[in-house]
């Protein structure tokens, strides 16, 4: 069963927004065994939308369309879909109108005619109630093929998918399982990993694929198969995953598609350990990565984003003399930051980062991209110097990943 | 001149990565007057890639292809392009081989045969040197149409685009200007804005489009035209932008496509003002948004991510009694947090946030999504209660946006 995703809206084509919806939809579709064949972004233009629908219809059994359902004039998806399905009659979906009225009453805003029109749908479609927004979803059938239109606002699309669209797809189609097994690695490059895994790759049967998914500082290895899932097949996939982990143990963080910070949080929560942070050049990104996870407060007590030297001294107790003799970006400072965090923030472990994110602030001795990272507990502290590149946002991301990797291995050493 | 972007790789289609490359490429292409007609993501599958290339060729003058150039077996873009252009001879691009050798020497890693093969390209293409990675770009010509293949690693693609591909496109085509004028608004909903702007929208000439780009808590209004740029046209677009700003002054943050935190940073830097933060439920996201901008250290001294109550007291001086009587998520606590940040972190202004991001921790009186935000300077502090939704990551994003909006207006009041 193949699906295609079409996102409608100039904002993606001019780059004003990144299409995060499609990635989310692909994940949940894959989970229920629907393969996404193609993702296309097309403009708010009737002819182009009609052509994209026709193209997708030739290839896919299911076409999911997002975007272009807002109340404003640039939103033309609804009338274009009506045209594609030869329908010129619109009817009010009463349940959707009730939701529109409730939303406007809740926020105490005047209900305008354009808002009421949100509940109008082409007569040939089956409306899908959107309980969290003003634009209903719409289901169109053409022979055995389904076309489903949803709003582009991420939380509305997610609500519709979860509450209505996925159950509907499962009911409609006989779905095979697509089974993935992912291994998160960090610290080794893609080609170096590939070289070490050559022998395993050569032994992989034709129905199992191994993909390398590199991201700054980490590579996810994904084994996948589209064969009908069976206990034997799943055991085979798992066995290959275990073999990979045994071949590059120094790089493997976890089996499963979890981000590294979640692996760390789970491990620390299980042991009842707490963590604090002392961030300089990462500027809160490490804390943000941690706190996006529900339940992180069990482990994470907090941290300081100590951008200025005076805050490094005040919050973390970094000595004035250390800052003067070695500078803020130094082994000495970052160790005092980590030790200070453990002590002042009262946590079992701490991570500290101080570096030059750029684009300014570099010197010959410490060029832009120089980052010191330290990890500490109540008994021990360790620091490492990293040299990243010239780009600020990348340096922040790389330092964040390196900090998690360093902490992961430090925690592991304590176990051994 | 129309372009299409094709990204190759199963990782986008199964949702393991979000396609941020295309958004970036769309922005820089638009800036030089190239319109992106469609963005397509296709799988690591020869037949599918060949079909996508043929489709794009029918619609576009320029096809930019990213991904699938890694050294591993799942990367098939190079040989598929060779097939599309009927070429079965590969040659080594010496300059690229030199880069590969340098990269491996720099990181002190053994140079493998698969890495050497990265410098092999189909004989019919013009290789484009990639100075920051091992896979060269490739330019293929077919009649007047250009096909350019680049690695999918974001910083390599960006380097190739900036250093080689954009100059090449500008040289090759006579490009019209696409002119956008964007206004950032915050605090008013899309349909409410649309209603207030109806009269202006009705007076817009056919060659100027107005688009609404909503994102949690903000709506960007984008006026655009594809007419040949002229001083008269640009003045007309600007005049409409000014009229919009005069019509909804309470919602308008700035003219131009800047994020709100950058508007605040620029304004504060200009006045020599400093900022600190006291974040609880936003968990470092506000600090991260600020510190991603180069030069933010001029304004931002730092902050505390005070997740635990004890850190709220220790770092910010929130009274034990306040926490006990009113709770961490309360007007009283968030005001003390903001005042404490101004005083303890030594900044002119501070923003504090305390809320229940969810999914747990809510109560009847304070449901998940309840967030208190305070702004303060040395003379005054103000707090507001917000009620967002049930979703943790959205609540963090909304609270971040609301905090910036609140600070923006607070700074503005001080001017008046």
């Amino acid at each position: 069963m193949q699906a295609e995703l079409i996102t409608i809206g100039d904002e993606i084509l001019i780059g004003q927004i990144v299409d995060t919806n499609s990635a989310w939809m692909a994940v949940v579709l894959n989970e229920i065994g629907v393969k996404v064949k193609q993702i296309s972004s097309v403009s708010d233009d009737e002819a182009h939308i009609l052509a994209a629908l026709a193209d997708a219809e030739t290839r896919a059994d299911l076409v999911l369309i997002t975007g272009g359902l807002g109340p404003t004039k640039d939103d033309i998806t609804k009338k274009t879909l009506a045209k594609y399905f030869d329908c010129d009659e619109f009817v009010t979906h009463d349940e959707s109108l009730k939701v529109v009225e409730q939303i406007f009453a809740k926020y105490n805003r005047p209900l305008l005619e354009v808002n009421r029109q949100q509940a109008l749908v082409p007569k040939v479609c089956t409306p899908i109630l959107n309980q969290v927004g003003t634009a209903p979803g719409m289901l169109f059938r053409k022979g055995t093929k389904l076309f489903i239109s949803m709003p582009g606002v991420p939380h509305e699309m997610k609500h519709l998918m979860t509450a209505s669209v996925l159950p509907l797809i499962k009911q409609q189609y006989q779905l095979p399982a697509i089974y993935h097994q992912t291994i998160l690695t960090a610290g080794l490059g893609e080609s170096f990993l590939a070289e070490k895994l050559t022998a395993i790759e050569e032994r992989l049967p034709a129905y199992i694929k191994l993909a390398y998914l590199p991201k700054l500082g980490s590579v996810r290895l994904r084994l996948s198969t589209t064969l009908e899932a069976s206990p034997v097949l799943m055991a085979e996939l798992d066995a290959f995953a275990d073999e990979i982990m045994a071949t590059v143990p120094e790089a493997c963080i976890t089996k499963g598609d979890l981000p590294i910070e979640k692996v760390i949080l789970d491990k620390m929560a299980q042991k009842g350990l707490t963590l604090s942070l002392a961030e300089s050049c990462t500027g809160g990104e490490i804390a943000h990565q941690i706190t996006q996870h529900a339940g992180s407060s069990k482990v994470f007590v907090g941290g300081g984003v100590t951008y200025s030297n005076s805050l490094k001294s005040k919050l973390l107790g970094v000595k004035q003399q250390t800052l003067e003799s070695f500078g803020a970006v130094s082994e000495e400072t970052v160790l005092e930051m980590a030790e200070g965090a453990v002590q002042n923030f009262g946590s079992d472990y701490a991570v500290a980062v101080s570096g030059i994110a750029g684009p300014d602030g570099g010197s010959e001795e410490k060029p832009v991209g120089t980052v010191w990272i330290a990890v500490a507990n109540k008994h021990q502290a360790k620091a490492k110097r990293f040299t990243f590149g010239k780009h600020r946002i990348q340096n922040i991301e790389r330092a964040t990943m390196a900090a998690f990797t360093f902490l992961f291995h430090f925690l592991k050493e304590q176990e051994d």
Side-chain angles (χ1 to χ4, degrees), chain A residues 41-318:
Chain A
S41 286
V42 302
S43 58
D44 293 315
D45 168 278
E46 186 184 278
H48 194 189
I49 297 171
L50 292 173
L53 291 168
D55 273 357
E57 191 184 329
T58 63
R59 288 179 299 241
D61 310 292
L62 169 69
V63 182
L64 298 179
I65 304 138
T66 56
L69 294 181
T72 55
K73 291 195 179 165
D74 56 317
D75 292 306
I76 62 164
T77 299
K78 194 154 68 182
K79 64 181 189 194
T80 308
L81 280 167
K83 187 161 188 176
Y84 190 74
F85 293 99
D86 288 323
C87 171
D88 48 18
E89 196 178 340
F90 284 75
V91 292
T92 295
H93 182 230
D94 292 333
E95 284 181 84
S96 292
L97 184 58
K98 249 182 239 157
V99 171
V100 172
E101 287 167 350
Q102 279 162 6
I103 288 174
F104 279 77
K106 180 177 167 194
Y107 291 107
N108 210 6
R109 288 200 175 150
L111 183 65
L112 312 168
E113 183 50 32
V114 286
N115 304 120
R116 271 198 201 91
Q117 283 170 9
Q118 290 283 82
L120 276 181
V121 295
K123 200 179 176 187
V124 295
C125 83
T126 308
I128 304 172
L129 188 64
N130 174 359
Q131 280 155 320
V132 298
T134 56
M138 293 174 283
L139 164 69
F140 299 86
R141 288 174 191 271
K142 198 165 178 184
T144 60
K145 303 201 171 190
L146 297 187
F147 293 72
I148 300 172
S149 158
M150 288 170 277
V153 182
H155 76 274
E156 295 186 30
M157 177 279 292
K158 288 177 189 174
H159 165 74
L160 276 171
M161 284 289 288
T162 310
S164 308
V165 175
L166 293 173
L168 195 149
I169 295 168
K170 283 195 266 189
Q171 200 181 43
Q172 188 78 17
Y173 301 96
Q174 274 268 322
L175 298 170
I178 298 181
Y179 190 64
H180 297 298
Q181 182 58 276
T182 304
I183 299 157
L184 176 67
T185 77
L188 283 189
E190 183 183 3
S191 57
F192 201 71
L193 278 169
E195 177 73 10
K196 291 206 163 197
L197 300 176
T198 308
I200 296 177
E201 269 200 85
E202 277 166 6
R203 279 192 292 107
L204 283 179
Y207 51 86
I208 298 181
K209 277 183 83 174
L210 175 63
Y212 293 74
L213 311 173
K215 214 178 160 180
L216 293 174
S218 71
V219 178
R220 277 173 303 168
L221 303 173
R222 193 192 66 227
L223 289 156
S224 61
T225 174
T226 50
L227 279 195
E228 190 76 35
S230 72
V232 174
L233 179 65
M234 287 162 82
E236 192 180 6
L237 222 56
D238 280 341
F240 277 115
D242 289 338
E243 203 179 334
I244 289 172
M245 295 193 66
T247 309
V248 279
E250 70 280 22
C252 288
I253 303 294
T254 192
K255 193 160 75 171
D257 199 9
L258 285 178
I260 188 168
E261 73 279 2
K262 181 73 175 120
V263 176
I264 291 169
L265 282 172
D266 288 348
K267 187 189 276 237
M268 294 186 78
Q270 207 188 346
K271 299 187 180 239
L273 297 171
T274 57
L275 176 68
S276 69
L277 298 173
E279 296 187 66
S280 185
C281 70
T282 47
E285 172 64 0
I286 300 179
H288 168 59
Q289 291 297 330
I290 289 173
T291 56
Q292 69 179 319
H293 296 286
S296 49
S297 60
K298 280 193 204 82
V299 169
F300 182 58
V301 297
V305 181
T306 52
Y307 234 47
S308 65
N309 278 353
S310 75
L311 279 196
K312 287 183 184 75
S313 297
K314 189 156 187 189
L315 298 191
L316 303 166
V318 176

